[in-house]
Amino acid sequence: MTSDQSQSYIHRGELKLLTGNANPELAESIAKSLSKEIGAAEIEKFSDGEIKIIINESIRGKDVYIVQPTSAPTNDNLMELLIMIDACRRASAGYINVIVPYYGYARQDRKTRGREPITAKLVANLITEAGADRVITMDLHAGQIQGYFDIPVDHFTAIRLLSEYFKDQAYDKADEYVVVSPDLGGVRRAREFSDYLKLPIAIIEKRRPKPNVSEVMNVIGDFKGKTAILVDDMIDTAGTITNAANYLIENGAKDVYIAATHGVLSGPAIQRLEESKVKEVIITDTIYQPEEKRIDKIKQLHVGPLLAEAIHRINTYESISGLFEDID
């Protein structure tokens, strides 16, 4: 963008970037791409665990962006986000935009039995009522969650970023590679991934007797003798995805890779991935990974540049529709 072009746009106010404690590395990546500094804010806890936030610079009339995925510890990070939104509202920020690359509680998006909450909607209500004007997120576990908000939601995907990682080795090699959806619900995601790489698709039919436990029943499509790329939105305890990977290897696949946007990696996930027959696990940095989870088998891709470009375009009233599929 030329200086003449940038001067022609109407800004929503000076852009201010704030971050909670959930993923400061991602916030730094976004700030670097925008050539901005992260705003001064103190986040502390009282002795009983209550969260205390103080913003140490003026944000009156500013276009504020708060980076805070609601990953583990989910409740602490969610409360940090809500309190920071409230602090910005009471400080008379012009616009309050929340960047929640990973949206916690997204798996509780509907009632499947009596007396069950729809927690994804509750979290949407909390963010809206706290004072947010816009939500920016990535690869929601259930796309309909966008409709739970009465404010604008920009829902980006890391599918293009993840598929780019495999382009040099797998592009247009239908006889050697196959993209595999780990369940029927992920077919659309796997189809987008396979369309970009011009590869065939296979689908795992499974049953889930209880949460975080699954059993492979059948595979629809040809995978024998091929390198399989399992595509999902998240890896939590890694039980489902490693069972699928091991099943593919044991039944004729040459190698198995995993590509997923969100590395939740809770409980025994790291041990399961280490002990599995998976060759490599590709995730993004929507969720911060401590050193003990940064094993050699896991590779992280960076979503900061994409989110930074979205922030810039929102701040200057440019169209962001091209960013929903194109990360270039």
Side-chain angles (χ1 to χ4, degrees):
M1 181 185 302
T2 66
S3 59
D4 289 341
Q5 286 176 317
S6 63
Q7 290 174 2
S8 66
Y9 291 114
I10 301 173
H11 288 257
R12 290 158 36 120
E14 181 186 352
L15 191 158
K16 283 289 183 181
L17 192 66
L18 298 174
T19 184
N21 288 323
N23 197 339
E25 283 190 0
L26 176 58
E28 289 287 353
S29 173
I30 294 171
K32 183 178 179 181
S33 295
L34 289 169
S35 299
K36 294 281 186 180
E37 297 290 333
I38 295 176
E42 295 178 26
I43 304 174
E44 301 173 347
K45 284 188 177 181
F46 292 102
S47 59
D48 65 351
E50 289 183 10
I51 297 167
K52 176 184 178 182
I53 294 178
I54 300 174
I55 299 172
N56 289 322
E57 61 181 274
S58 174
I59 56 172
R60 182 177 295 273
K62 306 295 175 62
D63 190 20
V64 177
Y65 295 81
I66 303 169
V67 182
Q68 181 76 346
T70 50
S71 48
T74 305
N75 296 332
D76 281 359
N77 287 333
L78 176 58
M79 279 304 300
E80 271 190 25
L81 175 62
L82 298 175
I83 294 169
M84 189 167 281
I85 293 170
D86 186 71
C88 290
R89 180 172 60 88
R90 295 178 189 278
S92 300
Y95 295 91
I96 303 171
N97 312 274
V98 296
I99 302 172
V100 189
Y102 172 73
Y103 186 90
Y105 288 107
R107 285 170 285 187
Q108 299 179 47
D109 64 302
R110 64 192 184 279
K111 288 187 68 171
T112 58
R113 66 192 73 180
R115 299 174 297 283
E116 190 173 40
I118 304 179
T119 320
K121 171 60 175 169
L122 172 62
V123 171
N125 288 345
L126 290 171
I127 291 172
T128 304
E129 289 301 314
D133 296 302
R134 177 184 292 266
V135 174
I136 300 167
T137 189
M138 295 195 72
D139 286 316
L140 290 167
H141 187 67
Q144 67 265 23
I145 292 172
Q146 297 173 78
Y148 294 175
F149 289 88
D150 293 323
I151 57 176
V153 176
D154 297 314
H155 183 208
F156 295 102
T157 180
I159 289 296
R160 186 69 174 274
L161 180 66
L162 292 166
S163 58
E164 281 277 358
Y165 181 86
F166 295 94
K167 188 173 182 180
D168 290 341
Q169 67 189 75
Y171 183 77
D172 206 14
K173 295 181 180 178
D175 293 335
E176 301 176 36
Y177 287 82
V178 60
V179 175
V180 182
S181 172
D183 52 40
L184 295 172
V187 171
R188 180 178 177 182
R189 185 181 304 108
R191 176 63 67 192
E192 291 174 3
F193 194 99
S194 66
D195 284 349
Y196 180 72
L197 293 175
K198 296 186 177 180
L199 297 177
I201 187 173
I203 305 165
I204 292 177
E205 182 185 0
K206 69 181 184 184
R207 71 182 186 95
R208 190 182 290 279
K210 56 184 179 179
N212 293 122
V213 176
S214 68
E215 297 175 1
V216 175
M217 306 296 290
N218 185 34
V219 178
I220 304 167
D222 180 22
F223 66 92
K224 294 183 178 180
K226 297 185 178 184
T227 296
I229 306 173
L230 274 163
V231 180
D232 211 345
D233 65 316
M234 70 169 70
I235 306 172
D236 188 358
T237 61
T240 297
I241 204 79
T242 54
N243 283 345
N246 292 339
Y247 179 91
L248 292 172
I249 289 290
E250 291 164 4
N251 288 273
K254 182 180 178 182
D255 283 311
V256 176
Y257 291 82
I258 295 173
T261 302
H262 309 297
V264 179
L265 304 180
S266 64
I270 294 298
Q271 181 180 354
R272 284 173 172 172
L273 291 171
E274 286 271 44
E275 295 175 353
S276 74
K277 295 180 171 66
V278 175
K279 188 169 185 178
E280 201 169 50
V281 181
I282 316 303
I283 58 175
T284 75
D285 59 350
T286 56
I287 296 174
Y288 172 77
Q289 302 299 336
E291 286 299 324
E292 62 269 21
K293 293 185 178 181
R294 300 187 184 191
I295 60 175
D296 291 340
K297 192 177 280 190
I298 294 177
K299 308 296 181 187
Q300 267 193 305
L301 307 182
H302 302 294
V303 298
L306 169 61
L307 294 173
E309 181 62 21
I311 290 169
H312 169 74
R313 294 191 186 192
I314 292 167
N315 180 248
T316 55
Y317 288 107
E318 293 181 67
S319 172
I320 62 171
S321 59
L323 295 177
F324 291 114
E325 296 179 357
D326 189 359
I327 63 159
D328 297 333

